[in-house]
Amino acid sequence: MDRRRGRFRRWLNRLIDAVSFNDQIRDLAEMLNRKVEQSEEATPDIVSHPGGFNRAFRKRRMGIAESYIRIAQKLVRSEVHNRLHALKTLVMLSLHAKTISMPLNTARVQTEIMKEAVKNIRNRRRQMEMIADFSLASYGHEATIRRFLKELKRLEVPETGQPLKNLDMGWDAHVHDNLSEGRKTPSQLVLDAFIKGISRLTLAYYDIPHRDIVFEAMEAGRILGVEVSIGIEFSVGRRTRRKHFLFLPPAVTFEAFLEFFNSNCAVLAHFYDGLDENRNHRRRVITEILEHFNRTHLININQGFGEDSIFALQPLQLADLEKIVPYDQFSRNHLSELLYEQLKAVLKRRVLLLKAQFEISRQLFREDTLTGWELEQISATYRRIRELYTTLSPAHIKSEYFSGKNIFDYDSAFASEADIMPDLKQSGALITYNHPLEHGFESAVETVLAAHPYIDQIELMNMRDSMGRDPSEIMRLTRFVSLINTGTLSEAKQFLEDLNRRPIDKSRLESAFEKYHRNLLVPIAASAATGWKPQVPGMGFIRESRIPKKSRKYFCQTHYRLPRPVSDLINGGGRRSSPDPENDRATGTVDEIYCLGKSGHFRPNLVGDEAPIENIGLRRAWRYLNPALKNMIRVVIGLLPAYLWIGWEYTLIWFGITFFRNVFVDLVAFSGPRPKAWSFRDVNLDNTTQSLFWTGFSVPVLGMVKLGFDYSWHFAFTGLLFVWLKFLVICIANGLYISAHNKIRRFDNRVIRANFFRSILAWPFSAAFSPVGNLMQVPSIVQAKFWSDVVAAVIEGTGKFQQKIVLRKRDYREILPQLRSGDRDARMTAMMDTLYIWGKRQRGASGLSQILLGRGGLKAAVLGVFRKGDARDRERQAASGAADLDLMIERFAPHHVTPELSRFILSKYTHNEAIVLIDMLDSHLIDFHAWLKKLRKKSRGGTPSNIAAS
């Protein structure tokens, strides 16, 4: 029965897959997979603007995918430049979606969706779902972006036009990239912080053998608008009992970081030497672990296979680690990852070998040439190796082969806190006590009391350490920090005497008490995230008050909350804001702190012969149904209620009104009121068919409203009062119906209000022209519908038209300053981008005309009548536009620029790309230069016609 059910579900899934997606999505999935396999291609050094000529070569979504692949897969240290260049490209592309309302959130959503598409290379359906979602998110509709944020369990950040570092959103005081013990490159890690909405991030490194080791992270933070600071994590004490601290220089830029260390060379000389010694110790320990593995575990793993066999694991080499981890920063985590990749490949070969033996053995057993006992032995071995392969993970390998610091560890170069911390404090930096409960509560207290002159901050919550910690220890540490900061000395003494088995040094306690009453011991929250354990919530924390109210409920339900006493003490900077935080939640006294990271789950390694039975629900199947089929179903469903109420003749009229209104709006928005430039490809059929679906159900609704009005009217069914009131009621009902289904579709409230307003605005037109409609025997509801859609076409068409111009002006304002750049490549690229947008993009000429003439369009002109203070702004814009116009006429003079641009194109781009760009030059340069000269005449009083024609 179960087998039949499994076969049926597989058949159903194949059917759903067959009717899902369109050819474009499938082609993009194929292209994406090729990009993943060909990620070794070089990244070009020149970045064309996202709205510029680069669109002629590749799709924006593929550009984002290519950039992420390079960020994630270019791991060696020589690829820093390529990673940062790819990151810059990704940011530029993701921030230039088809939206002006939610650019930052749209960029975060699209980046994460494409990231998931790249990760799901082995799950074709899931990958195509992500590509389809990316396409939908490209439009930047507020309801759509908010839905994706909810699905991805991400918070919405305010759209103020400012970078994340100025928004005071999330933070994390301790994370690791692959230059310490993390899994991700610095660029990849900071990109994840951007996606999560983190404003401030502190990366921990073990030492700084080269100052450039911090360059990538800080430059990535600058590109993404995230404040990145660097901490140097160091240990104190003897092996197996070492304590860890973080040295935090007061620098958030690479230049300031270098300046700090250059100016404190003498003071920090002992620190540098100790870090070098500890690095050498780590290298020696890793070498010993590696050699121990090769002498012991490797023999057991390879038992039964020859050393040169493809089924044997080769000895681990330190040189292999050095290829992927720069500057000798490798750790046990990196060693585990190295063994994981090599052992996984070997085990997969063994699985396939045993599978072949098992299948042959089953056939021989059926022919009675193999005993049941022999088959069972082969089957057991096959199942065991297959399970070992599917459950293999870096965490499992670390636990199995590389754990046990009591066996392999080292004494720190710093024997005690007093040996190094006075020099560190003299430099003006902060010192944080990392995962203080590492050796228990008593050890944490002793360390704080002994090193109180130097310790400024303490990790009250370290997620990686706390997940395996007794929660009562965290509460005791919280109580201790609170007492030593703001309690009484007697309370602190009594608390420690009750909990400690060892006597407390009262003089130290009194000294620490006095010091931290002057300068609080600041508690902080840190994840210490490395990216190796998906079960541990990843990086990032945020206060509940910073989560937007619209998304607060679902976000708080799906993310881990810190204990309230911990949140209360961290929010107060070491002081409790509530005497009873556990019971003050209802009053809002405690501003809860939530983790931004999500707990993941283990993904088994796939052999490749699996036939997974994925549960594809009805909602998911409908969401990714082939668009043509989905649109057809919508129209058919919408037709039924309309046909049953008003018959097929008026149903066709009703649907025709809605259809042509949507088509007209899209065509005008893309190409303006010029029928020759219209193309049906510019019509958004998804939006059109959704309108047809909902308009079908509006027929019986408005029909019943009209019948109800007639039934309630006790006077003659003639006269102006009857006509005007009837259409008022119908228009109000139509507006309420539109608002209702807009609400169901999760439109923004601003859009809902606008749609209701346009329905009311149709009232006087419906009533005034009703004699004509009545003469043609057109039902009242059809007349009201006609005028409602006419008004909507004007309002929506004008709005979308203006939005296109706003988008083009946004692109130009980012490109035009580059025309003055001293960098020849940047200047040449900007010139080609400008030429491309003017000649190829919708409303390109109109947008540039408004900028160069210092005009702001119709809306700005209307508002300018009522804003007297804008006169000076308009004068400045006109002067700036005139200067840009003169510069462009000079720069784009054909006889000067043609040879220069041609040489640039031929030297920088491939043969096929050069053909496209040279053709663009031939087709548009002369016309563009003539257009610029006409524009200058117009700005000086001339009136040439068609000056803003695209």
Side-chain angles (χ1 to χ4, degrees), residues 416-437:
S416 67
E417 292 83 1
D419 182 32
I420 185 59
M421 289 188 180
D423 292 342
L424 301 184
K425 291 302 296 179
Q426 187 178 344
S427 71
L430 297 176
I431 296 178
T432 300
Y433 187 8
N434 285 0
H435 38 94
L437 296 175

Side-chain angles (χ1 to χ4, degrees), residues 756-827:
F756 180 80
F757 170 75
R758 58 100 160 169
S759 298
I760 302 303
L761 199 61
W763 166 49
F765 296 98
S766 303
F769 287 92
S770 62
V772 178
N774 294 338
L775 185 64
M776 299 172 63
Q777 297 185 343
V778 179
S780 301
I781 59 173
V782 178
Q783 295 182 48
K785 168 66 176 175
F786 172 78
W787 287 109
S788 175
D789 277 31
V790 168
V791 173
V794 173
I795 294 175
E796 291 179 19
T798 303
K800 289 186 176 181
F801 181 83
Q802 291 299 320
Q803 185 183 35
K804 288 291 179 185
I805 293 180
V806 170
L807 290 173
R808 295 296 81 79
K809 290 169 70 174
R810 175 197 67 182
D811 295 342
Y812 281 127
R813 287 195 176 104
E814 294 170 350
I815 293 171
L816 292 181
Q818 295 300 316
L819 295 177
R820 291 183 166 84
S821 173
D823 185 330
R824 175 179 174 273
D825 288 353
R827 191 172 63 252

Side-chain angles (χ1 to χ4, degrees), residues 93 181 224 244 320 598 606 637 886:
L93 290 171
E181 57 179 308
L224 289 161
H244 295 82
D320 295 331
K598 300 176 290 188
L606 300 179
I637 294 175
D886 290 338

Side-chain angles (χ1 to χ4, degrees), residues 495-744:
F495 173 75
L496 294 177
E497 288 172 358
D498 291 343
L499 291 178
N500 281 274
R501 292 185 296 271
R502 288 173 285 187
I504 300 297
D505 188 326
K506 293 184 179 180
S507 62
R508 278 185 175 177
L509 176 61
E510 291 172 0
S511 177
F513 185 84
E514 181 182 350
K515 189 259 186 178
Y516 288 127
H517 269 58
R518 290 195 313 271
N519 300 301
L520 298 179
L521 175 60
V522 178
I524 60 175
S527 68
T530 61
W532 296 108
K533 293 184 177 181
Q535 297 81 5
V536 178
M539 69 175 168
F541 302 88
I542 191 167
R543 294 178 175 86
E544 185 178 1
S545 61
R546 301 302 302 162
I547 304 172
K549 290 183 179 179
K550 288 184 178 180
S551 57
R552 188 173 296 173
K553 182 177 180 181
Y554 85 81
F555 186 89
C556 294
Q557 289 174 346
T558 55
H559 287 74
Y560 178 81
R561 176 180 60 82
L562 269 60
R564 290 192 184 114
V566 173
S567 297
D568 181 56
L569 201 62
I570 290 174
N571 289 331
R575 288 189 174 91
R576 290 169 57 188
S577 59
S578 168
D580 189 7
E582 283 291 353
N583 297 321
D584 282 353
R585 174 71 176 93
T587 65
T589 305
V590 177
D591 192 1
E592 305 275 19
I593 295 177
Y594 287 85
C595 288
L596 286 171
K598 300 176 290 188
S599 295
H601 61 276
F602 172 73
R603 294 185 179 183
N605 303 308
L606 300 179
V607 176
D609 60 350
E610 295 85 358
I613 304 176
E614 190 173 4
N615 185 23
I616 303 176
L618 183 62
R619 178 179 294 183
R620 184 177 168 194
W622 169 257
R623 176 171 173 173
Y624 299 106
L625 189 64
N626 184 285
L629 188 56
K630 183 190 289 188
N631 293 339
M632 188 185 304
I633 293 172
R634 283 177 181 150
V635 174
V636 170
I637 294 175
L639 279 169
L640 290 176
Y643 165 74
L644 294 174
W645 190 267
I646 57 176
W648 67 268
E649 299 94 338
Y650 287 116
T651 296
L652 292 179
I653 294 174
W654 190 283
F655 271 61
I657 293 170
T658 300
F659 177 77
F660 285 110
R661 184 257 296 177
N662 280 276
V663 170
F664 177 77
V665 166
D666 286 338
L667 293 177
V668 171
F670 273 88
S671 303
R674 296 179 297 114
K676 289 184 178 181
W678 290 354
S679 172
F680 197 71
R681 290 177 301 178
D682 295 332
V683 177
N684 185 346
L685 288 177
D686 181 76
N687 182 62
T688 300
T689 55
Q690 287 207 51
S691 295
L692 292 174
F693 171 82
W694 289 103
T695 199
F697 288 94
S698 71
V699 174
V701 172
L702 297 183
M704 286 187 286
V705 168
K706 197 267 182 186
L707 290 178
F709 177 81
D710 290 345
Y711 180 78
S712 303
W713 185 260
H714 299 296
F715 307 100
F717 290 92
T718 57
L720 289 177
L721 181 61
F722 169 75
V723 171
W724 282 78
L725 283 178
K726 176 181 67 174
F727 280 106
L728 175 62
V729 170
I730 294 173
C731 289
I732 290 176
N734 187 42
L736 292 174
Y737 173 77
I738 293 173
S739 299
H741 78 68
N742 283 176
K743 197 72 175 177
I744 294 172

Side-chain angles (χ1 to χ4, degrees), residues 101-140:
S101 57
M102 298 183 73
L104 187 56
N105 287 288
T106 301
R108 294 170 56 233
V109 164
Q110 288 195 299
T111 303
E112 179 151 24
I113 289 174
M114 192 52 69
K115 171 184 167 183
E116 290 298 316
V118 172
K119 288 168 60 177
N120 281 278
I121 187 173
R122 303 300 178 192
N123 188 336
R124 182 174 173 78
R125 177 176 176 88
R126 183 60 178 159
Q127 189 180 62
M128 289 192 291
E129 288 177 353
M130 293 294 98
I131 294 173
D133 287 344
F134 184 95
S135 301
L136 188 60
S138 295
Y139 292 96

Side-chain angles (χ1 to χ4, degrees), residues 234 236 246-250 260-261 263-275 413-431 451 453-456:
F234 64 98
V236 169
L246 201 62
F247 172 66
L248 293 165
F260 173 83
F261 279 94
S263 60
N264 287 281
C265 279
V267 174
L268 298 176
H270 177 44
F271 186 51
Y272 297 153
D273 294 340
L275 293 177
F414 310 117
S416 67
E417 292 83 1
D419 182 32
I420 185 59
M421 289 188 180
D423 292 342
L424 301 184
K425 291 302 296 179
Q426 187 178 344
S427 71
L430 297 176
I431 296 178
Y454 320 114
I455 298 177
D456 304 290

